[in-house]
Amino acid sequence: MKKIAVFTSGGDAPGMNACVRAVVRTTLRHDHQAVGIRRGYQGMIEGDFWAMEAHSVSNIIQLGGTILRSARSQDFRTPEGRAKAYANLRANDIDGIVAIGGDGSFTGARIFMEEYPDIHMVGCPGTIDNDLYGTDYTIGYDTAINTAMNAIDNIKDTANAHDRLFFVEVMGRDAGFIAMNVGLATGAEAVLVPESKTDVNNLIDTLNSNYSNKKNSSIVVVAEGDESGGAFKLAEEVKKHCPYETKVTILGHLQRGGRPTCMDRVRSSRMGVAAVNALLEGKSGVMIGEINGEIVHTPFEQAIKYHNEINPMLLEMVDILS
Amino acid sequence: MKKIAVFTSGGDAPGMNACVRAVVRTTLRHDHQAVGIRRGYQGMIEGDFWAMEAHSVSNIIQLGGTILRSARSQDFRTPEGRAKAYANLRANDIDGIVAIGGDGSFTGARIFMEEYPDIHMVGCPGTIDNDLYGTDYTIGYDTAINTAMNAIDNIKDTANAHDRLFFVEVMGRDAGFIAMNVGLATGAEAVLVPESKTDVNNLIDTLNSNYSNKKNSSIVVVAEGDESGGAFKLAEEVKKHCPYETKVTILGHLQRGGRPTCMDRVRSSRMGVAAVNALLEGKSGVMIGEINGEIVHTPFEQAIKYHNEINPMLLEMVDILS
Amino acid sequence: MKKIAVFTSGGDAPGMNACVRAVVRTTLRHDHQAVGIRRGYQGMIEGDFWAMEAHSVSNIIQLGGTILRSARSQDFRTPEGRAKAYANLRANDIDGIVAIGGDGSFTGARIFMEEYPDIHMVGCPGTIDNDLYGTDYTIGYDTAINTAMNAIDNIKDTANAHDRLFFVEVMGRDAGFIAMNVGLATGAEAVLVPESKTDVNNLIDTLNSNYSNKKNSSIVVVAEGDESGGAFKLAEEVKKHCPYETKVTILGHLQRGGRPTCMDRVRSSRMGVAAVNALLEGKSGVMIGEINGEIVHTPFEQAIKYHNEINPMLLEMVDILS
Amino acid sequence: MKKIAVFTSGGDAPGMNACVRAVVRTTLRHDHQAVGIRRGYQGMIEGDFWAMEAHSVSNIIQLGGTILRSARSQDFRTPEGRAKAYANLRANDIDGIVAIGGDGSFTGARIFMEEYPDIHMVGCPGTIDNDLYGTDYTIGYDTAINTAMNAIDNIKDTANAHDRLFFVEVMGRDAGFIAMNVGLATGAEAVLVPESKTDVNNLIDTLNSNYSNKKNSSIVVVAEGDESGGAFKLAEEVKKHCPYETKVTILGHLQRGGRPTCMDRVRSSRMGVAAVNALLEGKSGVMIGEINGEIVHTPFEQAIKYHNEINPMLLEMVDILS
């Protein structure tokens, strides 16, 4: 192996920079060359390559976002696009790649590797949603739950001051991990996640019963992917049957950025080291994960196909503790 | 003077608790009794009074929201409501009140004092919007600009990673102080405030020129009260003429809560001390403010009627520095 | 079981309040009575009991420290003290106790339970040091590493600005978990932990070699329990052989407090629920832990006797990535 | 004027980067060239110059420290050193300089300007201590008080949990602004500043009286420059006469770094713009300050010679509110 390249793809996640840093420095430590590909698959097609040194990744471990940037690539969905990408990689003597991203990034990788099996690819799970099979935690997830929690802590100050009911929508199109953990951490009255069916009448009963018991304020946390249709729609429905003054907040993109937490920095670094090690051992087509504290390799197709499940004890806890 | 009461009214603001603490402890230090009125004017009507000791306000200086809570009171708009409030105050020997709130709270105070001039009232400017005349800074403003700035710092990580244009709406129905300072602090491309007319075509030209100059991401900060109609409407308009991928975030209520900054705690404390001192000196009908570092008394009618203006140098700076 | 009591003991840790809340609410949910014992074993001896309702633990999930306070108890080391404690518990019909604390708390519990086996005791691991066997994470650890990391991030700004070498001492008398994770997360040049012998000459060589390679600033993280004798002593030694301008910071007690992170709130809550469940199932003498995401019961004697080990991969990573 | 240079000198302060950014962009906006001098006067002597473009200062407004770095320069204290610096400036066609720093930096500037009056120099007050005459706030001060306050908030959690007395030493060699504001903001029992003589017996009486009144925990904030000799020495003295368990924390260098607050970013930017404007108007030998919200020019010799005084009302407030 002469050169190992690294790129970030899909939605940015805090810890991606820590992972890039680990990939670059581990590569250099093994006396290989490190190349950064800017803007994911699109940059691969356009040949947007960066010969990286140890100092190229100095002082980035604490930064949110990704210094390699990210982009959607329509071109990579075409055989012509992928052929161009392959030609660029060959021309640059790159035969190993670390892809930091989520579902979409690994789907792209699978197709590419079938066509060009001489390019070895290993993935690192970079997404705040924690929705990848093959790892207990994805890069950025721990930061995102703290960011969302801090925002809801703020909202609780106002909810308490004004006897209000707040519906707060957090990220999570397919997975309720953020909603569930943030809901528990902020003492939310209810948490609505895609993984379990919401009984709106039940929710209304709970809220009405709280109101009669002089519980003057409440937070309901809703995952954006919940089948109730999101916080606005749900609030409309509840408002009709509930005496509370209701408000809605969509946390939105502020959940994505920010300085990574300690766990995100350490895990991302560890996964970056492990990804290079996997390439050097001749592995390809696998995603690096951390399960029960150990590094695990999961084939891309499984990482994409299966899903982690929310611990049912957490669902019960919302009910017991609120 | 036998007893001094304190209440919070209108939207909650970080530092209100620090102000309440200062009112209570200063009152007790002068060997008077301190009374907390819960939920503003509504609590006054309902007689929701709390005899406060020094320890009642222990460990609250660092809390957002307000331990005295806040509420809108339709009843206080009626002569009957106000008569009831007066009766409660008299029955409890309260003849001095510190009202922590904004425009609405002081308007209520004015009407009440005309009817019942034997109740002395002094105000403290409690609102994150910084839109009260008679003070350089209102209670909660410094915290709110830091909270909004931190949220936009996060969004910038994503904007940079993905070459996107973000429209971020911050609080400020009548005043652009939050938008202006937050926009400058986050290096926003443009800041739209109610105080100055927005030329949307001009904005589109600037953004298009940035785009051609390879400036790949941008933040536009919009005050909710801007005459453009808010971030969503503006983004719709701009999108038609701009190549950027655009996103919208409404920061909403998370701007209101949170632990107060050092300046908010110190200023709120200072204003609380000054409010009690003013009552003890026989003052009534004035709002406490801090202008050029000095405590100033401004009659309620002026505090409500006039408005602070945004320093025009700040408007120019957005243009020079972005 | 009629009443379940809860107390906190030893050094305070963020998340203790979340755990107390969970114990109280789970107890009440099962229609038992909940009692808070203030100031740990000392309060047990003095009968400092608090009949707790659901609202007694409202709005505490986000607070650092412990509302039940903590204290050392010399009296509890004597048979007379423990007899008094037992008499108080009996007089109050308490037959189940949740003890939130560390080594010392569980040692006390073991002795007490041998003498008075009719009092059932279950422990929750409350210590920022993460040094208890039987759980992957202790209550407060995740918050502490983030607090220490943020402080060192700040120090790095100055180290970089001034070409300085900083020795930063973090908590951890017997365990290097905080030092190791914080060191990795801040890109420290070296991490010194009690679990591995420090070769000072080796460290000096590394730093000198960095200096020649124009690496102008460096952070060395030292666990307080490292056999090198702490940051001050180490800096004295290194300074003699190194051209860097060196500075020392002892982070100290600020690492202990602060608002708990999302993970600390969720884990502490989960452990509190599990502790009450264990008591209701007739368990006694065990510490609740979370291992590989599952709740585990470990006898007190094992939790005290054995120690978790630092993953050797982390030690290597410091060397590869710095 | 052909080129304007900018450097940072003395201790780093959050907001220096925002100021550098403003100097560079304002210079470029006026179609002049911008030059960064690395490591202050030492870099001037060594010719460590950097031709800066608009993008050189992209994404630095939110960073602590200084991208231009800082250094002490023994060489600049010699006529030979200054001659070399002058030669480098001339060789690079630099005739205007913005110096961001404190006392020492402006003293150097004065001497240099006497010898080489054709080099125009304007200063910006960059120091967290707020000890420069001619401005209400220095760059970095607002961030530093928030950083120190947050650290003490954490310590208070432990102080409350354990009935302890904490002595916390904050920065401020000659000025007590940090100590005073942080002490008020954290509800400290006492604040010891260089500006007023400490009566240790008085302090001991207060603490003993608190102890008898069941005030179980206390914070005493000490400025490092207080004539009592700092937190350790004071604690030794107090401990002899006080029943509290006492602890000492020296906050140290973590107070210097970190992301600047909104006010620090806005003020630093404003001062940077004003500094370039002053140079373009032909001004030299003055420090830019903000007094009562207005930009003010103060000759270096005054800025160094005089000192701002702490508002005596703040000293009283500690006593009333604690």
Side-chain angles (χ1 to χ4, degrees), chain C residues 10 12 64 69-70 147 154 157-158 161-163 216 254 256 258, chain D residues 10 12 64 69-70 147 154 157-158 161-163 216 254 258:
Chain C
D12 61 307
R69 291 160 57 207
S70 186
T147 305
N154 278 13
D157 284 344
T158 297
H162 291 276
D163 301 352
N216 294 314
L254 65 94
R256 221 172 237 314
Chain D
D12 61 307
R69 291 161 57 207
S70 185
T147 304
N154 277 14
D157 283 343
T158 297
H162 291 276
D163 300 355
N216 294 314
L254 65 94

PDB file of all heavy atoms in Angstrom, chain C residues 10 12 64 69-70 147 154 157-158 161-163 216 254 256 258, chain D residues 10 12 64 69-70 147 154 157-158 161-163 216 254 258:
ATOM      1  N   GLY C  10     -19.252  10.182  50.249  1.00  0.00           N
ATOM      2  CA  GLY C  10     -17.965  10.375  49.571  1.00  0.00           C
ATOM      3  C   GLY C  10     -17.967  11.654  48.758  1.00  0.00           C
ATOM      4  O   GLY C  10     -18.838  12.506  48.931  1.00  0.00           O
ATOM      5  N   ASP C  12     -18.663  14.326  46.018  1.00  0.00           N
ATOM      6  CA  ASP C  12     -19.845  14.506  45.171  1.00  0.00           C
ATOM      7  C   ASP C  12     -19.471  14.293  43.710  1.00  0.00           C
ATOM      8  O   ASP C  12     -18.318  14.452  43.319  1.00  0.00           O
ATOM      9  CB  ASP C  12     -20.440  15.903  45.362  1.00  0.00           C
ATOM     10  CG  ASP C  12     -19.464  17.005  44.982  1.00  0.00           C
ATOM     11  OD1 ASP C  12     -18.327  16.999  45.496  1.00  0.00           O
ATOM     12  OD2 ASP C  12     -19.815  17.867  44.160  1.00  0.00           O
ATOM     13  N   GLY C  64     -25.426  19.738  39.326  1.00  0.00           N
ATOM     14  CA  GLY C  64     -24.254  19.080  39.893  1.00  0.00           C
ATOM     15  C   GLY C  64     -24.383  19.007  41.400  1.00  0.00           C
ATOM     16  O   GLY C  64     -25.385  19.452  41.979  1.00  0.00           O
ATOM     17  N   ARG C  69     -26.503  16.236  50.089  1.00  0.00           N
ATOM     18  CA  ARG C  69     -25.179  16.517  50.658  1.00  0.00           C
ATOM     19  C   ARG C  69     -24.418  15.251  51.065  1.00  0.00           C
ATOM     20  O   ARG C  69     -24.918  14.135  50.944  1.00  0.00           O
ATOM     21  CB  ARG C  69     -25.288  17.521  51.786  1.00  0.00           C
ATOM     22  CG  ARG C  69     -25.677  18.889  51.184  1.00  0.00           C
ATOM     23  CD  ARG C  69     -26.272  19.882  52.120  1.00  0.00           C
ATOM     24  NE  ARG C  69     -25.406  20.144  53.233  1.00  0.00           N
ATOM     25  CZ  ARG C  69     -25.854  20.544  54.413  1.00  0.00           C
ATOM     26  NH1 ARG C  69     -27.158  20.719  54.598  1.00  0.00           N
ATOM     27  NH2 ARG C  69     -25.017  20.788  55.385  1.00  0.00           N
ATOM     28  N   SER C  70     -23.207  15.470  51.437  1.00  0.00           N
ATOM     29  CA  SER C  70     -22.312  14.353  51.721  1.00  0.00           C
ATOM     30  C   SER C  70     -21.434  14.746  52.900  1.00  0.00           C
ATOM     31  O   SER C  70     -21.318  15.923  53.231  1.00  0.00           O
ATOM     32  CB  SER C  70     -21.461  14.064  50.481  1.00  0.00           C
ATOM     33  OG  SER C  70     -20.675  12.913  50.659  1.00  0.00           O
ATOM     34  N   THR C 147     -15.421  18.284  31.559  1.00  0.00           N
ATOM     35  CA  THR C 147     -15.014  19.501  32.264  1.00  0.00           C
ATOM     36  C   THR C 147     -13.506  19.693  32.184  1.00  0.00           C
ATOM     37  O   THR C 147     -13.013  20.786  31.882  1.00  0.00           O
ATOM     38  CB  THR C 147     -15.436  19.422  33.742  1.00  0.00           C
ATOM     39  OG1 THR C 147     -16.837  19.176  33.806  1.00  0.00           O
ATOM     40  CG2 THR C 147     -15.110  20.710  34.476  1.00  0.00           C
ATOM     41  N   ASN C 154      -8.798  25.291  26.779  1.00  0.00           N
ATOM     42  CA  ASN C 154      -8.459  26.691  27.044  1.00  0.00           C
ATOM     43  C   ASN C 154      -6.952  26.875  27.187  1.00  0.00           C
ATOM     44  O   ASN C 154      -6.360  27.809  26.639  1.00  0.00           O
ATOM     45  CB  ASN C 154      -9.125  27.172  28.344  1.00  0.00           C
ATOM     46  CG  ASN C 154     -10.562  27.575  28.159  1.00  0.00           C
ATOM     47  OD1 ASN C 154     -11.158  27.279  27.127  1.00  0.00           O
ATOM     48  ND2 ASN C 154     -11.137  28.231  29.152  1.00  0.00           N
ATOM     49  N   ASP C 157      -4.947  26.989  24.022  1.00  0.00           N
ATOM     50  CA  ASP C 157      -4.922  28.290  23.325  1.00  0.00           C
ATOM     51  C   ASP C 157      -3.684  29.072  23.730  1.00  0.00           C
ATOM     52  O   ASP C 157      -2.995  29.665  22.887  1.00  0.00           O
ATOM     53  CB  ASP C 157      -6.173  29.117  23.673  1.00  0.00           C
ATOM     54  CG  ASP C 157      -7.415  28.626  22.951  1.00  0.00           C
ATOM     55  OD1 ASP C 157      -7.292  27.870  21.974  1.00  0.00           O
ATOM     56  OD2 ASP C 157      -8.527  29.001  23.373  1.00  0.00           O
ATOM     57  N   THR C 158      -3.415  29.102  25.031  1.00  0.00           N
ATOM     58  CA  THR C 158      -2.264  29.845  25.526  1.00  0.00           C
ATOM     59  C   THR C 158      -0.958  29.137  25.193  1.00  0.00           C
ATOM     60  O   THR C 158       0.036  29.778  24.820  1.00  0.00           O
ATOM     61  CB  THR C 158      -2.394  30.041  27.054  1.00  0.00           C
ATOM     62  OG1 THR C 158      -3.554  30.823  27.311  1.00  0.00           O
ATOM     63  CG2 THR C 158      -1.181  30.752  27.630  1.00  0.00           C
ATOM     64  N   ALA C 161      -0.197  29.923  21.677  1.00  0.00           N
ATOM     65  CA  ALA C 161       0.116  31.329  21.449  1.00  0.00           C
ATOM     66  C   ALA C 161       1.533  31.667  21.913  1.00  0.00           C
ATOM     67  O   ALA C 161       2.170  32.568  21.373  1.00  0.00           O
ATOM     68  CB  ALA C 161      -0.904  32.228  22.153  1.00  0.00           C
ATOM     69  N   HIS C 162       2.018  30.942  22.902  1.00  0.00           N
ATOM     70  CA  HIS C 162       3.285  31.345  23.541  1.00  0.00           C
ATOM     71  C   HIS C 162       4.407  30.322  23.440  1.00  0.00           C
ATOM     72  O   HIS C 162       5.417  30.454  24.129  1.00  0.00           O
ATOM     73  CB  HIS C 162       3.043  31.633  25.022  1.00  0.00           C
ATOM     74  CG  HIS C 162       2.224  32.843  25.267  1.00  0.00           C
ATOM     75  ND1 HIS C 162       2.758  34.104  25.293  1.00  0.00           N
ATOM     76  CD2 HIS C 162       0.896  33.006  25.469  1.00  0.00           C
ATOM     77  CE1 HIS C 162       1.802  34.982  25.531  1.00  0.00           C
ATOM     78  NE2 HIS C 162       0.654  34.346  25.632  1.00  0.00           N
ATOM     79  N   ASP C 163       4.228  29.238  22.652  1.00  0.00           N
ATOM     80  CA  ASP C 163       5.286  28.226  22.550  1.00  0.00           C
ATOM     81  C   ASP C 163       5.662  27.669  23.912  1.00  0.00           C
ATOM     82  O   ASP C 163       6.837  27.623  24.288  1.00  0.00           O
ATOM     83  CB  ASP C 163       6.548  28.814  21.892  1.00  0.00           C
ATOM     84  CG  ASP C 163       6.255  29.340  20.507  1.00  0.00           C
ATOM     85  OD1 ASP C 163       5.129  29.122  20.006  1.00  0.00           O
ATOM     86  OD2 ASP C 163       7.151  29.952  19.916  1.00  0.00           O
ATOM     87  N   ASN C 216       6.037  23.718  18.718  1.00  0.00           N
ATOM     88  CA  ASN C 216       6.360  24.793  19.636  1.00  0.00           C
ATOM     89  C   ASN C 216       5.623  24.745  20.961  1.00  0.00           C
ATOM     90  O   ASN C 216       5.936  25.474  21.884  1.00  0.00           O
ATOM     91  CB  ASN C 216       6.094  26.136  18.959  1.00  0.00           C
ATOM     92  CG  ASN C 216       7.049  26.344  17.809  1.00  0.00           C
ATOM     93  OD1 ASN C 216       8.231  26.125  17.949  1.00  0.00           O
ATOM     94  ND2 ASN C 216       6.524  26.743  16.671  1.00  0.00           N
ATOM     95  N   LEU C 254     -12.579  22.035  40.480  1.00  0.00           N
ATOM     96  CA  LEU C 254     -13.570  22.429  39.474  1.00  0.00           C
ATOM     97  C   LEU C 254     -13.981  21.229  38.617  1.00  0.00           C
ATOM     98  O   LEU C 254     -15.019  21.261  37.950  1.00  0.00           O
ATOM     99  CB  LEU C 254     -13.040  23.576  38.607  1.00  0.00           C
ATOM    100  CG  LEU C 254     -11.829  23.289  37.716  1.00  0.00           C
ATOM    101  CD1 LEU C 254     -12.264  22.882  36.321  1.00  0.00           C
ATOM    102  CD2 LEU C 254     -10.984  24.539  37.632  1.00  0.00           C
ATOM    103  N   ARG C 256     -15.036  18.458  39.704  1.00  0.00           N
ATOM    104  CA  ARG C 256     -15.995  17.648  40.418  1.00  0.00           C
ATOM    105  C   ARG C 256     -17.446  18.075  40.164  1.00  0.00           C
ATOM    106  O   ARG C 256     -18.352  17.244  40.164  1.00  0.00           O
ATOM    107  CB  ARG C 256     -15.702  17.813  41.905  1.00  0.00           C
ATOM    108  CG  ARG C 256     -15.799  16.567  42.688  1.00  0.00           C
ATOM    109  CD  ARG C 256     -15.320  16.773  44.094  1.00  0.00           C
ATOM    110  NE  ARG C 256     -14.245  15.875  44.437  1.00  0.00           N
ATOM    111  CZ  ARG C 256     -14.247  14.587  44.181  1.00  0.00           C
ATOM    112  NH1 ARG C 256     -15.275  14.012  43.586  1.00  0.00           N
ATOM    113  NH2 ARG C 256     -13.243  13.836  44.513  1.00  0.00           N
ATOM    114  N   GLY C 258     -20.538  20.877  38.346  1.00  0.00           N
ATOM    115  CA  GLY C 258     -21.049  21.206  37.029  1.00  0.00           C
ATOM    116  C   GLY C 258     -22.256  20.380  36.639  1.00  0.00           C
ATOM    117  O   GLY C 258     -22.546  19.360  37.238  1.00  0.00           O
TER     118      GLY C 258
ATOM    119  N   GLY D  10       2.307  40.207  24.536  1.00  0.00           N
ATOM    120  CA  GLY D  10       1.915  39.998  25.936  1.00  0.00           C
ATOM    121  C   GLY D  10       1.072  38.743  26.072  1.00  0.00           C
ATOM    122  O   GLY D  10       1.009  37.934  25.151  1.00  0.00           O
ATOM    123  N   ASP D  12      -1.850  36.185  25.899  1.00  0.00           N
ATOM    124  CA  ASP D  12      -2.942  36.086  24.928  1.00  0.00           C
ATOM    125  C   ASP D  12      -4.275  36.339  25.618  1.00  0.00           C
ATOM    126  O   ASP D  12      -4.421  36.139  26.820  1.00  0.00           O
ATOM    127  CB  ASP D  12      -2.941  34.711  24.257  1.00  0.00           C
ATOM    128  CG  ASP D  12      -3.142  33.587  25.247  1.00  0.00           C
ATOM    129  OD1 ASP D  12      -2.385  33.525  26.243  1.00  0.00           O
ATOM    130  OD2 ASP D  12      -4.059  32.775  25.053  1.00  0.00           O
ATOM    131  N   GLY D  64     -10.096  31.297  20.609  1.00  0.00           N
ATOM    132  CA  GLY D  64      -9.261  31.884  21.643  1.00  0.00           C
ATOM    133  C   GLY D  64      -7.814  31.911  21.185  1.00  0.00           C
ATOM    134  O   GLY D  64      -7.485  31.469  20.087  1.00  0.00           O
ATOM    135  N   ARG D  69       0.292  34.470  17.303  1.00  0.00           N
ATOM    136  CA  ARG D  69       1.135  34.117  18.448  1.00  0.00           C
ATOM    137  C   ARG D  69       1.754  35.338  19.136  1.00  0.00           C
ATOM    138  O   ARG D  69       1.542  36.477  18.730  1.00  0.00           O
ATOM    139  CB  ARG D  69       2.185  33.085  18.047  1.00  0.00           C
ATOM    140  CG  ARG D  69       1.463  31.771  17.762  1.00  0.00           C
ATOM    141  CD  ARG D  69       2.189  30.764  16.946  1.00  0.00           C
ATOM    142  NE  ARG D  69       3.454  30.423  17.535  1.00  0.00           N
ATOM    143  CZ  ARG D  69       4.496  29.995  16.831  1.00  0.00           C
ATOM    144  NH1 ARG D  69       4.378  29.861  15.511  1.00  0.00           N
ATOM    145  NH2 ARG D  69       5.602  29.694  17.430  1.00  0.00           N
ATOM    146  N   SER D  70       2.390  35.066  20.231  1.00  0.00           N
ATOM    147  CA  SER D  70       2.903  36.140  21.073  1.00  0.00           C
ATOM    148  C   SER D  70       4.225  35.667  21.659  1.00  0.00           C
ATOM    149  O   SER D  70       4.521  34.476  21.658  1.00  0.00           O
ATOM    150  CB  SER D  70       1.888  36.439  22.183  1.00  0.00           C
ATOM    151  OG  SER D  70       2.290  37.542  22.945  1.00  0.00           O
ATOM    152  N   THR D 147     -15.381  32.583  32.127  1.00  0.00           N
ATOM    153  CA  THR D 147     -14.657  31.331  32.329  1.00  0.00           C
ATOM    154  C   THR D 147     -14.413  31.080  33.812  1.00  0.00           C
ATOM    155  O   THR D 147     -14.649  29.984  34.324  1.00  0.00           O
ATOM    156  CB  THR D 147     -13.305  31.389  31.587  1.00  0.00           C
ATOM    157  OG1 THR D 147     -13.554  31.680  30.209  1.00  0.00           O
ATOM    158  CG2 THR D 147     -12.556  30.068  31.700  1.00  0.00           C
ATOM    159  N   ASN D 154     -18.881  25.471  39.418  1.00  0.00           N
ATOM    160  CA  ASN D 154     -18.601  24.047  39.627  1.00  0.00           C
ATOM    161  C   ASN D 154     -18.136  23.795  41.058  1.00  0.00           C
ATOM    162  O   ASN D 154     -18.591  22.863  41.720  1.00  0.00           O
ATOM    163  CB  ASN D 154     -17.496  23.574  38.680  1.00  0.00           C
ATOM    164  CG  ASN D 154     -18.012  23.229  37.302  1.00  0.00           C
ATOM    165  OD1 ASN D 154     -19.137  23.568  36.965  1.00  0.00           O
ATOM    166  ND2 ASN D 154     -17.198  22.568  36.513  1.00  0.00           N
ATOM    167  N   ASP D 157     -20.772  23.705  43.727  1.00  0.00           N
ATOM    168  CA  ASP D 157     -21.510  22.438  43.864  1.00  0.00           C
ATOM    169  C   ASP D 157     -20.881  21.589  44.960  1.00  0.00           C
ATOM    170  O   ASP D 157     -21.576  21.007  45.793  1.00  0.00           O
ATOM    171  CB  ASP D 157     -21.474  21.645  42.540  1.00  0.00           C
ATOM    172  CG  ASP D 157     -22.432  22.203  41.494  1.00  0.00           C
ATOM    173  OD1 ASP D 157     -23.343  22.973  41.852  1.00  0.00           O
ATOM    174  OD2 ASP D 157     -22.271  21.865  40.307  1.00  0.00           O
ATOM    175  N   THR D 158     -19.547  21.505  44.927  1.00  0.00           N
ATOM    176  CA  THR D 158     -18.838  20.697  45.914  1.00  0.00           C
ATOM    177  C   THR D 158     -18.850  21.363  47.287  1.00  0.00           C
ATOM    178  O   THR D 158     -19.030  20.697  48.308  1.00  0.00           O
ATOM    179  CB  THR D 158     -17.389  20.460  45.438  1.00  0.00           C
ATOM    180  OG1 THR D 158     -17.430  19.717  44.220  1.00  0.00           O
ATOM    181  CG2 THR D 158     -16.586  19.682  46.461  1.00  0.00           C
ATOM    182  N   ALA D 161     -22.142  20.677  48.771  1.00  0.00           N
ATOM    183  CA  ALA D 161     -22.359  19.266  49.091  1.00  0.00           C
ATOM    184  C   ALA D 161     -21.617  18.848  50.350  1.00  0.00           C
ATOM    185  O   ALA D 161     -22.039  17.940  51.068  1.00  0.00           O
ATOM    186  CB  ALA D 161     -21.930  18.384  47.910  1.00  0.00           C
ATOM    187  N   HIS D 162     -20.503  19.518  50.649  1.00  0.00           N
ATOM    188  CA  HIS D 162     -19.624  19.032  51.716  1.00  0.00           C
ATOM    189  C   HIS D 162     -19.420  20.022  52.867  1.00  0.00           C
ATOM    190  O   HIS D 162     -18.526  19.813  53.697  1.00  0.00           O
ATOM    191  CB  HIS D 162     -18.239  18.704  51.141  1.00  0.00           C
ATOM    192  CG  HIS D 162     -18.231  17.522  50.248  1.00  0.00           C
ATOM    193  ND1 HIS D 162     -18.123  16.250  50.718  1.00  0.00           N
ATOM    194  CD2 HIS D 162     -18.363  17.403  48.903  1.00  0.00           C
ATOM    195  CE1 HIS D 162     -18.156  15.394  49.710  1.00  0.00           C
ATOM    196  NE2 HIS D 162     -18.301  16.065  48.591  1.00  0.00           N
ATOM    197  N   ASP D 163     -20.171  21.117  52.914  1.00  0.00           N
ATOM    198  CA  ASP D 163     -19.995  22.090  53.986  1.00  0.00           C
ATOM    199  C   ASP D 163     -18.562  22.584  54.070  1.00  0.00           C
ATOM    200  O   ASP D 163     -17.937  22.566  55.141  1.00  0.00           O
ATOM    201  CB  ASP D 163     -20.387  21.476  55.342  1.00  0.00           C
ATOM    202  CG  ASP D 163     -21.827  21.023  55.353  1.00  0.00           C
ATOM    203  OD1 ASP D 163     -22.540  21.275  54.363  1.00  0.00           O
ATOM    204  OD2 ASP D 163     -22.238  20.412  56.346  1.00  0.00           O
ATOM    205  N   ASN D 216     -23.374  26.705  55.721  1.00  0.00           N
ATOM    206  CA  ASN D 216     -22.455  25.580  55.777  1.00  0.00           C
ATOM    207  C   ASN D 216     -21.331  25.621  54.759  1.00  0.00           C
ATOM    208  O   ASN D 216     -20.394  24.857  54.855  1.00  0.00           O
ATOM    209  CB  ASN D 216     -23.234  24.279  55.622  1.00  0.00           C
ATOM    210  CG  ASN D 216     -24.140  24.059  56.810  1.00  0.00           C
ATOM    211  OD1 ASN D 216     -23.732  24.216  57.952  1.00  0.00           O
ATOM    212  ND2 ASN D 216     -25.395  23.734  56.550  1.00  0.00           N
ATOM    213  N   LEU D 254      -6.207  28.419  32.786  1.00  0.00           N
ATOM    214  CA  LEU D 254      -7.433  28.116  32.028  1.00  0.00           C
ATOM    215  C   LEU D 254      -8.302  29.357  31.859  1.00  0.00           C
ATOM    216  O   LEU D 254      -9.193  29.383  30.997  1.00  0.00           O
ATOM    217  CB  LEU D 254      -8.213  26.975  32.699  1.00  0.00           C
ATOM    218  CG  LEU D 254      -8.786  27.222  34.094  1.00  0.00           C
ATOM    219  CD1 LEU D 254     -10.222  27.708  34.004  1.00  0.00           C
ATOM    220  CD2 LEU D 254      -8.724  25.931  34.884  1.00  0.00           C
ATOM    221  N   GLY D 258     -10.006  29.978  25.573  1.00  0.00           N
ATOM    222  CA  GLY D 258     -11.422  29.712  25.351  1.00  0.00           C
ATOM    223  C   GLY D 258     -12.029  30.592  24.291  1.00  0.00           C
ATOM    224  O   GLY D 258     -11.478  31.625  23.904  1.00  0.00           O
TER     225      GLY D 258
END
